[in-house]
Structures are given as structure tokens and as C-alpha cells.
Short mmCIF file of all heavy atoms in Angstrom, two decimals:
data_model
loop_
_atom_site.label_atom_id
_atom_site.label_comp_id
_atom_site.label_asym_id
_atom_site.label_seq_id
_atom_site.Cartn_x
_atom_site.Cartn_y
_atom_site.Cartn_z
N GLU A 1 -68.99 -79.29 138.16
CA GLU A 1 -67.57 -79.95 138.08
C GLU A 1 -66.76 -79.27 136.92
O GLU A 1 -67.37 -78.82 135.97
CB GLU A 1 -67.78 -81.37 137.69
CG GLU A 1 -68.79 -82.18 138.71
CD GLU A 1 -68.12 -82.32 140.16
OE1 GLU A 1 -67.10 -81.96 140.39
OE2 GLU A 1 -69.02 -82.73 140.97
N ALA A 2 -65.51 -79.47 137.08
CA ALA A 2 -64.59 -78.86 136.20
C ALA A 2 -64.51 -79.54 134.81
O ALA A 2 -64.66 -80.78 134.77
CB ALA A 2 -63.25 -78.74 136.80
N THR A 3 -64.27 -78.86 133.78
CA THR A 3 -64.05 -79.58 132.41
C THR A 3 -62.58 -79.14 132.04
O THR A 3 -62.34 -79.39 130.78
CB THR A 3 -65.06 -79.11 131.46
OG1 THR A 3 -65.03 -77.69 131.27
CG2 THR A 3 -66.42 -79.50 131.82
N GLU A 4 -61.76 -78.63 132.79
CA GLU A 4 -60.51 -78.21 132.43
C GLU A 4 -59.57 -78.19 133.58
O GLU A 4 -60.06 -77.92 134.72
CB GLU A 4 -60.48 -76.76 131.72
CG GLU A 4 -59.15 -76.34 131.07
CD GLU A 4 -59.29 -74.98 130.54
OE1 GLU A 4 -59.37 -73.93 131.28
OE2 GLU A 4 -59.27 -74.81 129.23
N ILE A 5 -58.25 -78.49 133.40
CA ILE A 5 -57.16 -78.44 134.52
C ILE A 5 -56.24 -77.31 133.94
O ILE A 5 -55.78 -77.42 132.82
CB ILE A 5 -56.56 -79.81 134.59
CG1 ILE A 5 -57.47 -80.86 134.93
CG2 ILE A 5 -55.54 -79.59 135.67
CD1 ILE A 5 -57.00 -82.14 134.66
N THR A 6 -55.93 -76.36 134.81
CA THR A 6 -55.03 -75.27 134.41
C THR A 6 -53.90 -75.11 135.25
O THR A 6 -54.00 -75.07 136.46
CB THR A 6 -55.91 -73.92 134.46
OG1 THR A 6 -56.87 -74.04 133.50
CG2 THR A 6 -54.98 -72.82 133.92
N LEU A 7 -52.70 -75.08 134.58
CA LEU A 7 -51.48 -74.90 135.36
C LEU A 7 -50.88 -73.44 135.06
O LEU A 7 -50.74 -73.06 133.85
CB LEU A 7 -50.43 -75.93 134.92
CG LEU A 7 -48.99 -75.73 135.52
CD1 LEU A 7 -48.95 -75.90 137.11
CD2 LEU A 7 -47.97 -76.83 134.83
N LEU A 8 -50.62 -72.63 136.09
CA LEU A 8 -50.13 -71.27 135.96
C LEU A 8 -48.80 -71.02 136.44
O LEU A 8 -48.35 -71.60 137.51
CB LEU A 8 -51.14 -70.33 136.70
CG LEU A 8 -52.69 -70.53 136.36
CD1 LEU A 8 -53.48 -69.96 137.50
CD2 LEU A 8 -52.93 -69.75 135.11
N GLU A 9 -48.11 -70.13 135.77
CA GLU A 9 -46.89 -69.73 136.45
C GLU A 9 -47.31 -68.25 137.06
O GLU A 9 -48.09 -67.52 136.56
CB GLU A 9 -45.86 -69.32 135.27
CG GLU A 9 -45.21 -70.66 134.73
CD GLU A 9 -44.15 -70.39 133.66
OE1 GLU A 9 -43.96 -69.10 133.20
OE2 GLU A 9 -43.35 -71.28 133.26
N THR A 10 -46.47 -67.98 138.19
CA THR A 10 -46.76 -66.64 138.81
C THR A 10 -45.41 -65.75 138.77
O THR A 10 -45.54 -64.74 139.12
CB THR A 10 -47.12 -66.86 140.27
OG1 THR A 10 -46.10 -67.47 140.99
CG2 THR A 10 -48.23 -67.64 140.33
N HIS A 11 -44.37 -66.33 138.14
CA HIS A 11 -43.21 -65.57 138.03
C HIS A 11 -42.64 -65.70 136.55
O HIS A 11 -42.74 -66.83 136.04
CB HIS A 11 -42.00 -66.05 139.01
CG HIS A 11 -42.12 -65.58 140.40
ND1 HIS A 11 -42.10 -64.17 140.75
CD2 HIS A 11 -42.23 -66.34 141.52
CE1 HIS A 11 -42.13 -64.16 141.99
NE2 HIS A 11 -42.30 -65.41 142.54
N PRO A 12 -42.16 -64.65 135.90
CA PRO A 12 -42.15 -63.32 136.32
C PRO A 12 -43.46 -62.56 136.25
O PRO A 12 -43.61 -61.49 136.71
CB PRO A 12 -41.12 -62.76 135.37
CG PRO A 12 -41.23 -63.55 134.08
CD PRO A 12 -41.53 -64.83 134.60
N SER A 13 -44.36 -63.22 135.53
CA SER A 13 -45.68 -62.69 135.47
C SER A 13 -46.65 -63.85 135.47
O SER A 13 -46.39 -65.02 135.36
CB SER A 13 -45.95 -61.89 134.20
OG SER A 13 -45.74 -62.76 133.04
N LEU A 14 -47.98 -63.52 135.67
CA LEU A 14 -49.02 -64.46 135.89
C LEU A 14 -49.49 -64.88 134.44
O LEU A 14 -49.96 -64.04 133.61
CB LEU A 14 -50.11 -63.88 136.68
CG LEU A 14 -51.37 -64.78 136.80
CD1 LEU A 14 -51.01 -66.06 137.64
CD2 LEU A 14 -52.48 -64.06 137.60
N LYS A 15 -49.37 -66.21 134.16
CA LYS A 15 -49.81 -66.65 132.90
C LYS A 15 -50.14 -68.17 133.00
O LYS A 15 -49.53 -68.96 133.82
CB LYS A 15 -48.75 -66.33 131.86
CG LYS A 15 -47.47 -67.13 131.90
CD LYS A 15 -46.55 -66.80 130.65
CE LYS A 15 -45.30 -67.65 130.73
NZ LYS A 15 -44.49 -67.42 129.66
N ALA A 16 -51.14 -68.57 132.14
CA ALA A 16 -51.41 -70.07 131.89
C ALA A 16 -50.29 -70.61 131.09
O ALA A 16 -50.08 -70.26 129.88
CB ALA A 16 -52.77 -70.23 131.38
N VAL A 17 -49.72 -71.80 131.44
CA VAL A 17 -48.73 -72.44 130.78
C VAL A 17 -49.28 -73.75 130.21
O VAL A 17 -48.81 -74.29 129.15
CB VAL A 17 -47.44 -72.75 131.50
CG1 VAL A 17 -46.77 -71.41 131.79
CG2 VAL A 17 -47.70 -73.51 132.84
N THR A 18 -50.24 -74.43 130.80
CA THR A 18 -50.87 -75.65 130.38
C THR A 18 -52.39 -75.57 130.59
O THR A 18 -52.84 -75.17 131.67
CB THR A 18 -50.35 -76.80 131.08
OG1 THR A 18 -48.82 -76.91 130.89
CG2 THR A 18 -50.96 -78.19 130.55
N ARG A 19 -53.23 -75.95 129.65
CA ARG A 19 -54.57 -76.00 129.83
C ARG A 19 -55.04 -77.45 129.34
O ARG A 19 -54.78 -77.73 128.02
CB ARG A 19 -55.39 -74.99 129.18
CG ARG A 19 -55.29 -73.61 129.54
CD ARG A 19 -56.17 -72.64 128.92
NE ARG A 19 -55.87 -71.24 129.21
CZ ARG A 19 -56.40 -70.54 130.15
NH1 ARG A 19 -57.47 -71.17 130.91
NH2 ARG A 19 -56.09 -69.18 130.40
N ILE A 20 -55.49 -78.33 130.20
CA ILE A 20 -55.91 -79.68 129.74
C ILE A 20 -57.49 -79.71 129.72
O ILE A 20 -58.19 -79.59 130.74
CB ILE A 20 -55.47 -80.75 130.83
CG1 ILE A 20 -53.86 -80.63 131.04
CG2 ILE A 20 -55.81 -82.17 130.29
CD1 ILE A 20 -53.53 -81.42 132.09
N SER A 21 -57.96 -79.79 128.48
CA SER A 21 -59.36 -79.86 128.30
C SER A 21 -59.87 -81.18 128.43
O SER A 21 -59.30 -82.11 127.77
CB SER A 21 -59.76 -79.14 126.93
OG SER A 21 -61.16 -79.13 126.71
N ILE A 22 -60.96 -81.44 129.13
CA ILE A 22 -61.59 -82.80 129.24
C ILE A 22 -62.69 -82.93 128.19
O ILE A 22 -63.61 -82.19 128.05
CB ILE A 22 -62.25 -82.95 130.61
CG1 ILE A 22 -61.25 -82.53 131.72
CG2 ILE A 22 -62.71 -84.40 130.74
CD1 ILE A 22 -59.91 -83.23 131.76
N PRO A 23 -62.45 -83.88 127.26
CA PRO A 23 -63.35 -83.99 126.12
C PRO A 23 -64.73 -84.39 126.42
O PRO A 23 -65.11 -85.13 127.42
CB PRO A 23 -62.60 -84.96 125.15
CG PRO A 23 -61.89 -85.87 126.16
CD PRO A 23 -61.50 -85.03 127.26
N GLY A 24 -65.63 -84.14 125.55
CA GLY A 24 -67.06 -84.77 125.40
C GLY A 24 -67.79 -84.27 126.60
O GLY A 24 -67.70 -83.09 127.13
N GLN A 25 -68.64 -85.18 127.20
CA GLN A 25 -69.43 -84.78 128.33
C GLN A 25 -68.76 -85.29 129.56
O GLN A 25 -69.45 -85.52 130.63
CB GLN A 25 -70.81 -85.53 128.22
CG GLN A 25 -71.60 -85.11 127.05
CD GLN A 25 -72.00 -83.64 127.18
OE1 GLN A 25 -72.68 -83.25 128.02
NE2 GLN A 25 -71.50 -82.82 126.27
N ARG A 26 -67.50 -85.54 129.64
CA ARG A 26 -66.72 -85.90 130.82
C ARG A 26 -66.42 -84.72 131.58
O ARG A 26 -66.19 -83.58 131.26
CB ARG A 26 -65.57 -86.71 130.43
CG ARG A 26 -65.81 -87.65 129.37
CD ARG A 26 -64.56 -88.50 129.08
NE ARG A 26 -64.33 -89.58 130.15
CZ ARG A 26 -63.10 -90.17 130.25
NH1 ARG A 26 -62.04 -89.77 129.48
NH2 ARG A 26 -62.99 -91.02 131.21
N VAL A 27 -66.10 -84.95 133.05
CA VAL A 27 -65.83 -83.86 133.94
C VAL A 27 -64.75 -84.39 134.84
O VAL A 27 -64.58 -85.62 135.00
CB VAL A 27 -66.93 -83.33 134.68
CG1 VAL A 27 -68.10 -82.87 133.80
CG2 VAL A 27 -67.59 -84.48 135.55
N VAL A 28 -64.04 -83.41 135.58
CA VAL A 28 -63.15 -83.84 136.60
C VAL A 28 -64.03 -83.76 137.88
O VAL A 28 -64.59 -82.75 138.32
CB VAL A 28 -62.03 -82.78 136.88
CG1 VAL A 28 -61.16 -83.22 138.05
CG2 VAL A 28 -61.22 -82.69 135.56
N GLU A 29 -64.23 -84.91 138.44
CA GLU A 29 -65.13 -85.09 139.68
C GLU A 29 -64.41 -84.91 140.90
O GLU A 29 -63.70 -85.91 141.37
CB GLU A 29 -66.06 -86.36 139.57
CG GLU A 29 -67.15 -86.42 140.49
CD GLU A 29 -68.21 -87.48 140.22
OE1 GLU A 29 -67.75 -88.45 139.60
OE2 GLU A 29 -69.27 -87.44 140.89
N GLY A 30 -64.44 -83.76 141.54
CA GLY A 30 -63.61 -83.46 142.70
C GLY A 30 -63.35 -82.08 142.78
O GLY A 30 -63.84 -81.17 141.89
N ILE A 31 -62.40 -81.69 143.56
CA ILE A 31 -62.13 -80.03 143.68
C ILE A 31 -60.74 -79.88 143.57
O ILE A 31 -60.35 -78.67 143.49
CB ILE A 31 -62.61 -79.48 145.16
CG1 ILE A 31 -62.03 -80.27 146.15
CG2 ILE A 31 -64.20 -79.65 145.22
CD1 ILE A 31 -62.41 -79.80 147.69
N SER A 32 -59.79 -80.86 143.38
CA SER A 32 -58.41 -80.62 143.09
C SER A 32 -57.83 -81.91 142.61
O SER A 32 -58.26 -83.01 142.89
CB SER A 32 -57.74 -80.09 144.34
OG SER A 32 -57.42 -81.13 145.16
N PRO A 33 -56.81 -81.86 141.77
CA PRO A 33 -55.97 -82.92 141.38
C PRO A 33 -55.08 -83.35 142.64
O PRO A 33 -55.14 -82.73 143.72
CB PRO A 33 -55.07 -82.48 140.23
CG PRO A 33 -55.58 -81.02 139.83
CD PRO A 33 -56.28 -80.56 141.07
N ILE A 34 -54.32 -84.43 142.43
CA ILE A 34 -53.08 -84.86 143.14
C ILE A 34 -51.98 -84.51 142.14
O ILE A 34 -51.99 -85.02 141.18
CB ILE A 34 -53.17 -86.09 143.72
CG1 ILE A 34 -54.22 -86.52 144.64
CG2 ILE A 34 -51.81 -86.48 144.37
CD1 ILE A 34 -54.26 -87.93 145.23
N TRP A 35 -51.01 -83.70 142.67
CA TRP A 35 -49.96 -83.18 141.91
C TRP A 35 -48.61 -83.89 142.46
O TRP A 35 -48.07 -83.37 143.32
CB TRP A 35 -49.83 -81.74 141.97
CG TRP A 35 -49.01 -81.07 140.87
CD1 TRP A 35 -48.44 -81.55 139.82
CD2 TRP A 35 -48.72 -79.69 140.98
NE1 TRP A 35 -47.77 -80.56 139.08
CE2 TRP A 35 -47.94 -79.43 139.75
CE3 TRP A 35 -49.00 -78.56 141.73
CZ2 TRP A 35 -47.37 -78.06 139.50
CZ3 TRP A 35 -48.60 -77.27 141.46
CH2 TRP A 35 -47.69 -77.09 140.35
N ALA A 36 -48.31 -85.09 142.04
CA ALA A 36 -47.26 -85.87 142.72
C ALA A 36 -46.61 -86.79 141.67
O ALA A 36 -47.18 -87.11 140.64
CB ALA A 36 -48.01 -86.69 143.87
N ASP A 37 -45.45 -87.24 142.08
CA ASP A 37 -44.57 -88.18 141.29
C ASP A 37 -44.98 -89.55 141.50
O ASP A 37 -44.80 -90.08 142.52
CB ASP A 37 -43.10 -87.93 141.67
CG ASP A 37 -42.20 -88.80 140.73
OD1 ASP A 37 -42.81 -89.50 139.81
OD2 ASP A 37 -40.91 -88.77 141.03
N LEU A 38 -45.70 -90.04 140.55
CA LEU A 38 -46.36 -91.44 140.60
C LEU A 38 -45.39 -92.49 140.08
O LEU A 38 -45.53 -93.63 140.55
CB LEU A 38 -47.73 -91.40 140.02
CG LEU A 38 -48.60 -92.77 139.99
CD1 LEU A 38 -48.71 -93.14 141.56
CD2 LEU A 38 -49.83 -92.59 139.23
N ASN A 39 -44.48 -92.18 139.27
CA ASN A 39 -43.72 -93.25 138.72
C ASN A 39 -42.20 -93.16 139.06
O ASN A 39 -41.36 -93.85 138.56
CB ASN A 39 -43.63 -93.14 137.16
CG ASN A 39 -43.37 -91.86 136.49
OD1 ASN A 39 -42.90 -91.01 137.18
ND2 ASN A 39 -43.50 -91.71 135.26
N GLY A 40 -41.82 -92.31 140.01
CA GLY A 40 -40.48 -92.21 140.54
C GLY A 40 -39.47 -91.55 139.51
O GLY A 40 -38.27 -91.69 139.86
#
């Protein structure tokens, strides 16, 4: 299971812009987030 979530830009070059580290012994249980506007 993942212990980090990474957001990347691909323009103008490939680079990581956000890395969210999951603390302690916790993990992201799944294979992807949902990337959606939840509060409008």
C-alpha cells in the first residue's frame, strides 16, 4: 500500500509539485485517490 500521494506537472517539464506523506504506520488503502471538487 502507498505511504505517499504525489501530484506531478508534465508541462513545460516533468516535475513533482506536491508530495503528501502519510505519517506513522498508516497507508493509503487502495490504488488511486478520487480527485474531485467535494465542497463546490
Side-chain angles (χ1 to χ4, degrees):
E1 306 291 354
T3 61
E4 185 181 73
I5 308 161
T6 300
L7 177 61
L8 303 159
E9 289 181 351
T10 64
H11 282 298
S13 61
L14 179 60
K15 67 177 181 178
V17 293
T18 302
R19 295 182 187 269
I20 304 171
S21 181
I22 309 303
Q25 297 296 301
R26 311 180 81 202
V27 299
V28 180
E29 197 169 13
I31 57 176
S32 76
I34 292 175
W35 196 9
D37 181 6
L38 182 53
N39 59 6

